[in-house]
Amino acid sequence: MSGATGGAVTRVPPVDLGRQYAEIRDAARDVFDRLATSGALTLGDELEAFEAEWAAYCGTGGAVGVASGTEALQLALIALGAGPGTEVVTVPHTFIATAEAIVASGASAVFVDVEADSASLDPAALAAALTPRTVAVVPVHLYGRPAAMPAIGEICGRAGVAVLEDASQAHGARLGERRVGALGRAAGFSFYPTKNLGALGDGGAVTSDDPALLATARSLRHHGSAPGDANRHVRDGFSARLDNLQAALLRLKLRRLDGWNDERRRLAMRYRERLAGLPVRPLPAPPDGVDQVHHLFVVELDERDRVLAALRARGVGAAVHYPTPVHLQPVWRERGHREGEFPVAERLAARVLSLPIFPGMTDAEQDHVVDALADAVAS
Ligand SMILES: *Cc1c(COP(=O)(O)O)cnc(C)c1O
């Protein structure tokens, strides 16, 4: 395996991007040389090719490359009609960007709690959160596991509300035969470097089957320009393109995504076996037909912060995703949110711990994590 280290393991990083880069290094250097020399750095052929390949991979009619995952969500929301006076529903147990994109669209964010097992949007709480002002619901496929899309889709379908997937942690995950990105009206992906498919910098994409939505996102990312006429501006837009260079690098990595996700699956299964008997609860595997891609491997446990400190002292790059639910962040408390509103999200925030998992991680590294965790929970 590319990242194998000789000798006893004393340190395990949370992720090691150098091991991924080693697999594409020669091709990446060629790409850099070619594009830097030609000067084709924005809105070029590589971007168009990546968009076609990403749409084909996800099984959607199209994809639009944008500058980040946050902007993918923001632009898709605007294309769906979000703006001042509208509401968009999402979860408090997610990265802040999900809620931030809603605010950036001009809409108000409305939170609903998550389920304890999937850590994703609880369909049972959804209907009560919809109002005549709701234009979209944004479930998050957190940690690489698809949210409860059939139930969410049914509730939203009945209410005439669009579903926008936050797919930033679930590149390649499947629900039956369909991939994440093709499970709602549209999806927003992040290609932040540490995601399952990551650029060497920031990037994102909107996927959808809806040509009008894709055209609006395409216009919004480039100053509100008209199709085929970059000097005609038909709406207020943004400077939010995916760089041609990042698109070219993403094309190289996309060919390896399935293999890398398989490595994550193998490591996750091995964690489950090796953690059995310890007083930690890996988040349960999803039901049959739901395939997850283990962006993170998350366990729930008592005394999380003490165990985290003990792991760090043993060189284990464990982390918490996320220690504070969105509604209890200072910026959201200012909008009137308080403790106790979303008990499941608040309980998870206090109890979850992410163990290192990344393509190229060795069994010896994983064993070091498990040994350190076993010692920490026993002390
Ligand atoms: C990473 C991430 C985002 C934001 O992506 P950026 O590319 O960093 O803007 C949004 N939502 C979730 C769930 C994420 O993990």
Side-chain angles (χ1 to χ4, degrees):
M1 209 173 288
S2 62
T5 47
V9 173
T10 55
R11 208 189 130 263
V12 184
V15 0
D16 184 345
L17 296 176
R19 296 182 202 184
Q20 283 188 11
Y21 182 63
E23 295 187 36
I24 62 160
R25 187 171 178 189
D26 293 341
R29 286 177 167 197
D30 288 348
V31 154
F32 183 86
D33 220 35
R34 182 161 50 78
L35 295 185
T37 303
S38 73
L41 297 170
T42 54
L43 299 178
D45 293 347
E46 294 285 347
L47 175 58
E48 271 184 39
F50 172 68
E51 288 174 339
E53 288 166 13
W54 186 239
Y57 181 84
C58 294
T60 58
V64 178
V66 298
S68 71
T70 310
E71 282 155 310
L73 294 170
Q74 181 191 351
L75 271 48
L77 283 168
I78 294 171
L80 287 168
T86 69
E87 293 173 359
V88 174
V89 175
T90 194
V91 288
H93 186 63
T94 180
F95 182 51
I96 189 81
T98 317
E100 200 177 21
I102 295 170
V103 175
S105 78
S108 301
V110 173
F111 296 108
V112 298
D113 212 346
V114 294
E115 304 172 302
D117 281 359
S118 71
S120 289
L121 194 145
D122 184 354
L126 179 54
L130 302 179
T131 77
R133 290 183 298 280
T134 314
V135 293
V137 172
V138 186
V140 182
H141 306 309
L142 200 71
Y143 307 147
R145 172 182 169 153
M149 295 302 285
I152 293 167
E154 195 186 306
I155 294 162
C156 290
R158 246 185 280 129
V161 168
V163 179
L164 171 65
E165 304 168 70
D166 183 344
S168 299
Q169 299 191 1
H171 314 71
R174 282 189 313 260
L175 196 73
E177 293 302 304
R178 297 176 71 90
R179 275 197 208 278
V180 152
L183 303 176
R185 264 291 292 290
F189 285 91
S190 167
F191 304 122
Y192 182 81
T194 59
K195 309 291 184 179
N196 290 38
L197 180 62
L200 295 182
D202 283 302
V206 176
T207 56
S208 181
D209 280 335
D210 179 344
L213 186 149
L214 291 166
T216 303
R218 211 172 284 281
S219 167
L220 285 168
R221 77 170 173 189
H222 190 56
H223 307 290
S225 54
D229 186 350
N231 289 315
R232 214 170 136 252
H233 304 278
V234 295
R235 53 174 62 78
D236 293 317
F238 304 89
S239 186
R241 300 164 301 270
L242 177 64
D243 288 341
N244 208 40
L245 181 61
Q246 297 297 353
L249 296 168
L250 286 165
R251 293 183 71 198
L252 298 177
K253 288 186 160 194
L254 175 53
R255 293 175 207 145
R256 289 161 176 84
L257 176 60
D258 285 341
W260 286 339
N261 280 342
D262 283 343
E263 278 194 61
R264 291 175 183 273
R265 286 189 191 93
R266 189 189 74 84
L267 289 162
M269 206 182 299
R270 198 164 175 276
Y271 263 136
R272 281 186 197 285
E273 287 162 14
R274 297 234 37 212
L275 294 175
L278 293 185
V280 302
R281 171 186 182 262
L283 292 192
D288 281 353
V290 182
D291 163 65
Q292 58 179 343
V293 290
H294 302 285
H295 174 59
L296 297 169
F297 188 85
V298 174
V299 299
E300 221 188 305
L301 74 177
D302 297 334
E303 298 187 76
R304 191 266 322 275
D305 291 337
R306 184 187 65 75
V307 172
L308 173 62
L311 289 174
R312 293 257 173 94
R314 293 273 298 267
V316 173
V320 175
H321 301 89
Y322 296 90
T324 306
V326 172
H327 69 289
L328 299 180
Q329 292 286 355
V331 61
W332 285 95
R333 283 181 186 268
E334 271 174 37
R335 299 188 176 108
H337 288 287
R338 290 291 172 265
E339 269 96 0
E341 276 183 274
F342 305 107
V344 182
E346 290 169 28
R347 186 180 151 84
L348 283 169
R351 294 174 55 79
V352 288
L353 181 68
S354 308
L355 303 179
I357 188 166
F358 54 89
M361 184 180 182
T362 65
D363 288 359
E365 286 174 321
Q366 190 174 36
D367 292 343
H368 179 71
V369 175
V370 173
D371 293 346
L373 181 59
D375 290 346
V377 295
S379 63

